[in-house]
Amino acid sequence: MKKFLAMFLIGALAALSFSGCSKTQESSSAAGETTKAADKASGDLVVVGFSQVGAESDWRTANTESMKSTFTEANGYSLIFDDAQQKQENQIKAIRNFIQQDVDYIVLAPVTETGWDTVLKEAKDAGIPVIIVDRMIKVSDDSLFTAWVGSNFEKEGTDAANWLADYLKQKGKDSEDVNIVTLQGTIGSSAQIGRTNGFNKVAKEHSNWKILAQQTGEFTQAKGQEVMESFLKSYPDIDVVVAENDNMAFGAIDAIKAAGKTCGPNGDITIISFDAVSAAFDAMEAGDINVDIECNPLHGPRVAEIIKKLEAGEKVEKLQYVAEGIFPAETAAKDRVGRAY
Ligand code: GZL
C-alpha cells in the first residue's frame, strides 16, 4: 500500500516540479518521505529488517542485544530480525524477504565482504535504503548502501602488533626470535581481513618475529580450540597467540592448559585477543589473556541516529567509525567498570 502511494506521489511530484530534476533518488525519497510522514502522522512504526550474521560469539550477542534494545516499538520501530547462522545465502534470502514485506529500512551485518551486488540492487530498485553495520561490503556501486557503521579492523590489527612490540621491548625480548600463530576469523570477513593484514604489516618490520601459521577458527570457541590443539602438536615452541576474537582466545586457552602449558602475563604463551567482551575481562583478571583490542558492538543507537536523519530527509555520513580502545590485563579490573558489554 505504502509503495503504491509512494509511486503516485512520485508521479505527482514529477508532474508538479518541472524543475528538470531527473527521476533521481531525491524525488523518490522526497515522495517516500511524504508517504512516511503521512504514516508517522498516523503513528505507524518505522519497519526495520535486520539481517544478522549469526550467534557465533559473545560479541555477536552484544551486537544483537544493542540492535534489539534500540529498535523497539516504544522507540517507534517494528524490528524484523533474522539470524543467518553465518551463511550468506541465508542473509540474501532474508533481504529478499524484507523487500517482499516492503520494510522501510534494511540493516545488514554482512558475513563476508563480497556477493551483495545483486540483492542490494533489488533493494535499491524497491526504493528501500540499506544500512551496513559491523563488517564492510565490496560492491561495484556504492550507492547500493546508504551508510555503514563499524570498526577500523586494520587499525585493530596494527594496534595489536604495536602492543606486542612494546611488550617485548619492556621484557627485554625485542631481539629474540618470537614464534607467533594466528587464529583467524571467518575468512573473507572484513574483521578477519583487516586484523590479519594490520598485524602482518607491522610484523614484517620485525625480522625476529616468525609467523608459524595462520588458520581460521571461524570466530567460534570450539573451532578455536581445535585449531590451537593442532598448532600445539605442530609447533612445540609457540610464544604468542593472536586470536582474532575473544571466543577463539577462550578455546586457545583451554587447548594450551590441556597441553600442560600456561598463558597470559605470567605464562609460557602470550595471548593477544580482539573484541574485549565481558568474559574476556574475566580472562584477563584470571591471568589468561595479556591484552584485548576492543571492537565496539553497540551499533544500535548509531543506526537509529542515521534512520532518524533519513526520516527527516537529512543527509548522512557514508562511513561512521565507532570508538574503540586497547585493554591490557594489568588494568582490566579498573577499565571494565561501567562497560556496557
Ligand atoms: C567484528 C565482528 C566479529 C567479532 C567476532 O566487528 O564482525 O564477528 O570480532 C564476531 O566476535 O563473530
Side-chain angles (χ1 to χ4, degrees):
M1 172 56 190
K2 276 195 315 182
K3 283 296 179 248
F4 169 75
L5 188 56
M7 292 315 292
F8 171 73
L9 285 168
I10 291 167
L13 278 172
L16 288 173
S17 66
F18 290 112
S19 59
C21 73
S22 62
K23 261 197 171 301
T24 63
Q25 191 98 14
E26 285 69 49
S27 63
S28 60
S29 66
E33 291 315 311
T34 314
T35 314
K36 287 198 185 79
D39 284 351
K40 282 325 134 297
S42 66
D44 273 12
L45 300 169
V46 174
V47 182
V48 176
F50 175 37
S51 169
Q52 177 58 294
V53 166
E56 73 283 1
S57 65
D58 291 34
W59 187 96
R60 191 62 57 193
T61 305
N63 183 246
T64 292
E65 177 47 35
S66 173
M67 295 294 285
K68 286 186 172 177
S69 59
T70 299
F71 294 104
T72 61
E73 291 211 356
N75 290 340
Y77 299 96
S78 168
L79 179 68
I80 308 170
F81 175 82
D82 181 87
D83 172 340
Q85 280 131 41
Q86 294 215 81
K87 291 187 174 61
Q88 181 173 37
E89 62 266 26
N90 290 345
Q91 293 201 284
I92 291 170
K93 251 187 244 141
I95 292 169
R96 289 194 167 121
N97 221 326
F98 297 151
I99 294 169
Q100 280 297 319
Q101 296 180 64
D102 189 21
V103 299
D104 296 305
Y105 295 89
I106 291 171
V107 179
L108 168 65
V111 60
T112 50
E113 290 195 339
T114 56
W116 303 103
D117 289 72
T118 303
V119 73
L120 293 188
K121 178 86 174 53
E122 293 166 21
K124 181 177 180 181
D125 292 346
I128 302 175
V130 174
I131 298 165
I132 308 295
V133 292
D134 181 20
R135 304 169 186 176
M136 182 45 99
I137 56 173
K138 275 198 170 31
V139 284
S140 55
D141 165 9
D142 78 356
S143 74
L144 292 178
F145 67 98
T146 302
W148 168 85
V149 179
S151 302
N152 184 336
F153 300 111
E154 179 146 340
K155 180 180 180 305
E156 291 175 1
T158 53
D159 284 349
N162 290 330
W163 175 89
L164 180 60
D166 293 345
Y167 180 72
L168 292 170
K169 202 168 170 63
Q170 276 165 29
K171 295 272 178 193
K173 295 184 171 181
D174 48 329
S175 49
E176 290 176 17
D177 276 355
V178 183
N179 293 321
I180 301 166
V181 293
T182 305
L183 294 168
Q184 293 177 295
T186 303
I187 298 298
S189 68
S190 353
Q192 175 272 311
I193 294 168
R195 289 169 186 166
T196 299
N197 292 350
F199 186 90
N200 291 0
K201 193 167 68 175
V202 175
K204 281 200 183 79
E205 296 162 11
H206 300 271
S207 57
N208 58 316
W209 292 15
K210 313 271 177 253
I211 297 185
L212 303 174
Q214 299 191 310
Q215 189 179 333
T216 184
E218 292 163 11
F219 284 133
T220 68
Q221 182 163 342
K223 190 72 181 161
Q225 179 170 348
E226 186 187 307
V227 174
M228 189 66 213
E229 284 162 355
S230 73
F231 283 164
L232 288 162
K233 288 192 186 91
S234 310
Y235 308 104
D237 49 359
I238 295 169
D239 299 305
V240 178
V241 175
V242 178
E244 291 184 352
N245 88 325
D246 289 329
N247 294 79
M248 293 190 292
F250 304 153
I253 291 162
D254 291 344
I256 288 165
K257 291 181 176 176
K261 292 178 180 251
T262 57
C263 54
N266 302 313
D268 311 318
I269 298 176
T270 296
I271 307 259
I272 299 172
S273 188
F274 293 82
D275 283 352
V277 297
S278 177
F281 277 87
D282 296 340
M284 284 195 276
E285 288 196 69
D288 290 332
I289 290 179
N290 292 72
V291 66
D292 217 315
I293 313 299
E294 182 181 27
C295 179
N296 186 336
L298 305 180
H299 298 146
R302 298 292 296 272
V303 175
E305 236 173 78
I306 289 168
I307 289 178
K308 278 201 176 65
K309 284 188 175 170
L310 293 173
E311 286 288 287
E314 294 169 22
K315 288 242 170 283
V316 294
E317 288 285 310
K318 188 87 176 176
L319 303 178
Q320 305 194 22
Y321 289 93
V322 290
E324 301 176 329
I326 300 170
F327 297 99
E330 293 72 17
T331 54
K334 173 177 68 64
D335 292 339
R336 74 180 306 174
V337 174
R339 281 177 64 76
Y341 62 95

